[in-house]
Amino acid sequence: MQVIWKEHDNALNATLVFKDFVAAFAFMTIVAELAEAHDHHPNWSNVYNRVQIRLTTHDAGNQVTAKDWALAHAIADHAGVLALQ
């Protein structure tokens, strides 16, 4: 799965569509662990096989910062994410 981030409205945004809910939930589990490791947590939503993620740094006035980019790259480069279809 390739994660494509778009910077819009003072946030990094990505929408991912998976083959089913189980794959979407597996992705969310990986992201939850990465978010804890980075001490930076996304705003996100999930409906069946679709996950929408929004990264912004609240402590910086809801702007995109290096923390957002670091988590975005960690998500996009994670072997488990790349293996998801």
Side-chain angles (χ1 to χ4, degrees):
M1 169 69 53
Q2 182 181 11
V3 182
I4 298 172
W5 294 99
K6 296 181 181 175
E7 190 167 346
H8 180 281
D9 251 358
N10 295 322
L12 296 178
N13 300 280
T15 299
L16 298 102
V17 179
F18 298 89
K19 66 179 179 178
D20 56 24
F21 177 74
V22 172
F25 198 86
F27 170 77
M28 292 176 71
T29 300
I30 292 167
V31 173
E33 292 174 0
L34 290 170
E36 280 296 301
H38 285 255
D39 193 27
H40 193 56
H41 303 88
N43 291 321
W44 59 0
S45 66
N46 165 243
V47 176
Y48 181 57
N49 68 336
R50 180 180 299 268
V51 178
Q52 293 180 308
I53 305 174
R54 179 177 170 87
L55 299 176
T56 188
T57 302
H58 305 291
D59 296 346
N62 294 317
Q63 299 292 316
V64 175
T65 68
K67 287 179 80 169
D68 301 299
W69 281 111
L71 182 54
H73 288 298
I75 293 168
D77 297 338
H78 190 281
V81 170
L82 295 171
L84 288 170
Q85 298 296 330

